[in-house]
Amino acid sequence: MRVSTYTFYINNITTMRKLFLFLLVMPMAWQARAQIQWASEVEEVSSQSDKYQYSGNQTLGAPNAMPQGGQSPVAWKPQSKGKEFVRVNYKTPQKVGKIFIVENHNAGAVNHVEAFDQKGHVRFSKDIQYLETPLEKRVLEVVIPGGTPDWNVSSVRITLHDGEYTRGIDAIGISADSSDSWKPQVFTSRDMLFGNKAERMNDNLNSEWDELNPIVTPDGNTMYFSRRFHPKNVGGTDDHEDIYYSERDKNGIWGGARNFGPPLNNKEPNFVCSVSPDGNMLVLGNIYEPDGSMSNGASFSVMTNQGWSAPTEVRFIKYKNLSERVDYFMSNSGKIMLISEKKGKNMDNRDIYISFQVSDNLWSEPMNMGAGINTAADEYAMYLAADERTLFFSSNGYPGYGKSDIYMTKRIGEGWRDWTPPRNLGPAVNTPGEDAYFSITASGADAYFSTARDGGKNLDIYRIKMPTAEAGAVALLRGQVIDQETNKPLPNSARIAYENLATEEEVGVARSRPKTGSFTISLPAGVNYGYYAEAPGYIAVNGNLDLSNLTTYQETTQNIYMVPDKVGSIVTLNNIFFDFDKYVLKKESYPELKRTAAYLEKNPKTEIEIDGHTDSVGTAEYNNKLSYNRANAVREYLISLKVSPSRLTVKGFGKSKPAVDNKTGQGRALNRRVEFTIMKR
């Protein structure tokens, strides 16, 4: 169970991550100034505080505890304060003029440096002056006089003085040029160049206590966040965390924060992790037990006719978290859950894991997202953008500005373990203090996050305008689920699914709000989507939104109409497609027709009439033939799906039964349709 969202630890990085970071993201200007080769393998180490954190392997690759320095699990820390040593190898033995030793914590303990040739012989040896008063951090540069013109350095060993203070070695590098220098740098994102300063939100949102994890609903009018130890928490100043919300008025001003109250808040830690795009589901930290206590895990709460439901446990296969701190994030599609948790008994760090939806409330065993993202320190506070390819998270396992910084990475390919090297969001967002919980509004115009800056001791909510090269373009689809017969919203919540018509894959789910029937779906660009609703006693008239060529944010309103499942009802098949003047079904038509076949299989006595219609362009004879052939193509496909031919009849009405006027292009498009009528139940 998470006691506090904001307990931060200095982060670490694995050998693979450090090497990857060095090889792939070192700026070209760096390379021109200093051709430094960082160690690739530990030959031997006298002792280490842990096999992963603080291990000898943490000296490998480019420095990552720096420039912030300080005691860090991404650096080697010996088990004792005696005369400890580590020897590291280099992938490519080379001529060397200078050795770089990056000391990130209590610098000054290096006693002796040795360089070995390829045969393992010591060819250079030097004592280093002991600093009785250690520096906070430094880059120790050891020059080899005259270099090594007749031999190559294969490995380097450093030995530490006896000392009463702890030590930390971040990296050990070699360079051919004795005039080379190296200074710690932060790798910032070229795609996230903020041209403005972060703005502290007003005191309606912020207080003298910590405000954490601001999340804005898709309509932009409600913000959820939490407060630590606030007097108005349910448990008062002893209550670790409660959920609060604020509503924005017509002038865009956020109103006073209000405690959410029961059933979501109690005397235990309560916090919202994410909000579904429709605004009708909250992912909450912890499991709400019947006796009022909390246990390790996550919960859902959904909007009902009576308000927010009592939280229900999110079920994971083989879920295990050994940390008191945990974060969750559900993707906009509702298909992916990110978890920051600790699984290893001997590690203090949390890694980011991914879990995939198996059924409505069952999620797969969490899978570690790998060394491309995770380090030996804490990775947490995840936010997966609507494109489901751009990930923001907090960490101190990479070069940064302070205790914890916010980073961005992009997914490579279609899997979930290959990512671009994480990049720091830069000084407009990150500070020497704590920075976390970055989230973007549905429009992509603004981002909110929690930070301690401007001399403040507590975490406050800040806002910053997003640069133009943000995460991929999305469309926000709004509408209502409507009973076509009464033209009124469905009184109960309906499940809404949307699919990629080209691949036939269901890519996301949402729910309509009870009473109003309203829904919101966030759709990434590049896909031709079909969408439909499911509710007992109804058949959905499917909708279509083609975002194949979308390049900027878009808002669209389209209702979903539900046809009562009874004799005489007419269902328009919107998501069936033909080439111009053709009657061969395109593959994008298959998902909707497969659902029609499934409906007929579920209702074996139902018989339907498939009717084709055209617009007014062309002769009656031509249109009658084309409309019949298109309706018959639907019949033939349903028969191929094992629907009995005796249950399917076909008619072509041509232009004789227009649904709307044919005077406009939009009207003519609506008149070109195939629909079916329920003839028998």
Side-chain angles (χ1 to χ4, degrees):
M1 177 174 67
R2 181 181 76 170
V3 173
S4 171
T5 328
Y6 279 79
T7 304
F8 292 95
Y9 286 78
I10 303 300
N11 291 353
N12 178 22
I13 197 161
T14 63
T15 302
M16 183 185 303
R17 170 86 309 245
K18 294 177 79 173
L19 290 172
F20 194 43
L21 184 67
F22 167 65
L23 294 172
L24 295 186
V25 306
M26 188 172 70
M28 293 303 294
W30 243 32
Q31 297 184 48
R33 185 171 66 251
Q35 292 281 357
I36 300 175
Q37 182 182 181
W38 301 101
S40 61
E41 179 187 38
V42 173
E43 175 75 21
E44 56 180 340
V45 61
S46 58
S47 73
Q48 52 194 12
S49 297
D50 186 85
K51 292 182 180 179
Y52 181 44
Q53 296 183 319
Y54 305 103
S55 70
N57 282 339
Q58 299 306 327
T59 63
L60 305 181
N64 55 287
M66 297 282 266
Q68 66 267 28
Q71 184 167 305
S72 169
V74 298
W76 170 53
K77 185 175 79 171
Q79 199 168 31
S80 76
K81 299 174 184 177
K83 203 169 255 189
E84 304 283 349
F85 68 88
V86 62
R87 178 177 170 182
V88 295
N89 297 331
Y90 296 88
K91 185 176 182 180
T92 305
Q94 67 170 71
K95 305 288 189 286
V96 173
K98 184 180 285 187
I99 299 170
F100 297 86
I101 303 170
V102 183
E103 300 178 82
N104 69 292
H105 184 54
N106 282 339
V110 176
N111 172 54
H112 194 72
V113 179
E114 297 168 299
F116 297 76
D117 64 19
Q118 290 174 270
K119 294 182 179 180
H121 299 143
V122 175
R123 300 288 297 272
F124 170 77
S125 180
K126 183 176 182 178
D127 290 329
I128 306 297
Q129 181 181 359
Y130 174 65
L131 301 180
E132 293 186 3
T133 302
L135 303 171
E136 180 182 346
K137 57 189 177 183
R138 73 169 175 182
V139 179
L140 174 62
E141 299 182 0
V142 180
V143 174
I144 299 179
T148 62
D150 57 347
W151 60 283
N152 290 326
V153 173
S154 176
S155 64
V156 169
R157 179 167 63 192
I158 64 170
T159 304
L160 305 182
H161 284 279
D162 291 333
E164 292 304 317
Y165 50 87
T166 59
R167 287 73 62 86
I169 305 297
D170 188 5
I172 305 171
I174 54 176
S175 174
D177 190 343
S178 62
S179 66
D180 275 348
S181 63
W182 181 87
K183 292 183 179 180
Q185 295 191 16
V186 178
F187 303 100
T188 56
S189 170
R190 298 183 182 92
D191 294 330
M192 297 290 284
L193 300 176
F194 295 92
N196 57 298
K197 185 179 179 181
E199 166 197 11
R200 182 184 182 273
M201 303 309 294
N202 63 32
D203 289 342
N204 286 342
L205 297 180
N206 290 314
S207 71
E208 57 186 289
W209 288 267
D210 284 338
E211 277 75 39
L212 322 175
N213 198 15
I215 302 170
V216 178
T217 54
D219 63 11
N221 293 328
T222 304
M223 179 188 292
Y224 298 102
F225 59 97
S226 56
R227 281 177 169 168
R228 296 181 59 202
F229 305 112
H230 194 277
K232 291 186 178 180
N233 285 5
V234 171
T237 55
D238 292 329
D239 191 335
H240 282 91
E241 218 170 339
D242 261 11
I243 301 165
Y244 285 74
Y245 70 98
S246 173
E247 296 177 324
R248 188 159 59 173
D249 65 21
K250 62 182 180 180
N251 297 316
I253 305 300
W254 290 105
R258 288 179 277 181
N259 188 293
F260 207 97
L264 304 191
N265 282 334
N266 55 31
K267 294 182 180 181
E268 301 294 330
N270 312 115
F271 50 100
V272 174
C273 300
S274 56
V275 181
S276 62
D278 53 39
N280 296 330
M281 177 183 289
L282 302 176
V283 180
L284 308 168
N286 298 321
I287 298 170
Y288 291 65
E289 301 292 354
D291 63 0
S293 64
M294 309 288 269
S295 59
N296 201 328
S299 300
F300 285 135
S301 179
V302 298
M303 177 59 71
T304 70
N305 285 321
Q306 291 74 42
W308 288 101
S309 69
T312 303
E313 177 186 354
V314 179
R315 294 173 53 231
F316 293 97
I317 298 173
K318 294 184 179 179
Y319 175 80
K320 182 181 183 182
N321 173 44
L322 300 178
S323 174
E324 289 187 337
R325 299 162 293 129
V326 67
D327 287 314
Y328 303 89
F329 182 84
M330 186 175 70
S331 67
N332 277 357
S333 68
K335 297 285 189 178
I336 297 160
M337 189 80 75
L338 300 179
I339 310 164
S340 172
E341 61 180 351
K342 173 192 171 190
K343 280 196 170 184
K345 291 182 179 179
N346 298 322
M347 300 178 190
D348 291 330
N349 66 300
R350 289 182 293 161
D351 281 350
I352 299 175
Y353 289 75
I354 186 168
S355 178
F356 302 96
Q357 188 182 48
V358 177
S359 60
D360 278 350
N361 192 24
L362 182 64
W363 297 77
S364 66
E365 180 179 359
M367 175 186 74
N368 192 294
M369 293 185 71
I373 291 177
N374 291 317
T375 71
D378 276 349
E379 278 72 45
Y380 57 99
M382 311 76 61
Y383 176 84
L384 185 64
D387 64 0
E388 298 197 349
R389 307 198 71 85
T390 308
L391 175 65
F392 299 88
F393 65 96
S394 290
S395 175
N396 207 5
Y398 302 91
Y401 296 95
K403 294 181 180 179
S404 65
D405 279 2
I406 301 169
Y407 296 83
M408 182 187 77
T409 178
K410 287 184 176 285
R411 184 158 59 98
I412 300 170
E414 297 307 311
W416 289 90
R417 290 180 65 88
D418 292 328
W419 297 80
T420 59
R423 294 283 192 157
N424 192 292
L425 292 193
V429 171
N430 292 313
T431 69
E434 301 166 349
D435 308 290
Y437 293 99
F438 190 86
S439 65
I440 304 172
T441 57
S443 67
D446 298 309
Y448 292 85
F449 59 103
S450 293
T451 181
R453 62 177 65 196
D454 298 332
K457 295 181 180 179
N458 299 306
L459 292 156
D460 282 338
I461 297 171
Y462 277 68
R463 176 175 61 194
I464 192 166
K465 290 191 177 300
M466 290 290 288
T468 54
E470 76 277 12
V474 299
L476 203 64
L477 173 63
R478 291 191 176 103
Q480 289 178 289
V481 181
I482 303 291
D483 184 318
Q484 185 167 277
E485 191 173 78
T486 66
N487 206 34
K488 294 181 179 180
L490 260 62
N492 297 313
S493 179
R495 179 183 186 269
I496 301 169
Y498 47 101
E499 59 196 350
N500 182 326
L501 293 176
T503 64
E504 304 183 39
E505 177 190 7
E506 182 182 278
V507 294
V509 293
R511 299 198 72 84
S512 64
R513 182 156 290 200
K515 295 182 180 179
T516 66
S518 61
F519 68 88
T520 305
I521 303 173
S522 181
L523 301 171
V527 174
N528 184 10
Y529 290 98
Y531 57 91
Y532 59 94
E534 295 176 337
Y538 288 93
I539 304 170
V541 177
N542 289 219
N544 170 244
L545 189 61
D546 190 350
L547 303 180
S548 301
N549 299 313
L550 183 71
T551 57
T552 59
Y553 176 72
Q554 171 183 304
E555 290 190 13
T556 302
T557 299
Q558 293 183 16
N559 292 334
I560 300 177
Y561 289 91
M562 305 295 286
V563 178
D565 187 4
K566 64 181 183 179
V567 172
S569 289
I570 299 174
V571 180
T572 302
L573 300 171
N574 285 324
N575 288 339
I576 61 170
F577 305 93
F578 304 90
D579 285 327
F580 177 73
D581 200 28
K582 304 292 184 183
Y583 53 86
V584 176
L585 285 166
K586 299 182 75 170
K587 66 178 183 178
E588 289 87 352
S589 310
Y590 298 163
E592 180 157 2
L593 294 180
K594 286 178 179 178
R595 276 193 301 279
T596 303
Y599 161 75
L600 293 170
E601 182 180 3
K602 187 178 179 180
N603 299 277
K605 294 183 180 181
T606 297
E607 297 178 7
I608 63 173
E609 178 184 282
I610 306 168
D611 301 326
H613 302 270
T614 67
D615 59 26
S616 60
V617 179
T619 66
E621 180 182 2
Y622 172 84
N623 283 323
N624 288 342
K625 183 178 180 180
L626 179 62
S627 64
Y628 178 87
N629 286 338
R630 287 184 168 180
N632 193 57
V634 170
R635 178 180 184 270
E636 293 299 318
Y637 187 77
L638 292 175
I639 291 172
S640 75
L641 296 176
K642 310 302 181 185
V643 177
S644 172
S646 64
R647 301 171 63 192
L648 308 170
T649 56
V650 173
K651 288 186 178 180
F653 289 96
K655 57 184 179 181
S656 64
K657 290 188 175 184
V660 295
D661 197 286
N662 274 296
K663 292 181 179 179
T664 66
Q666 183 179 10
R668 289 190 293 274
L670 292 172
N671 287 329
R672 296 189 295 268
R673 69 196 189 279
V674 176
E675 56 194 20
F676 71 81
T677 304
I678 300 175
M679 308 301 294
K680 183 179 178 181
R681 284 281 285 149

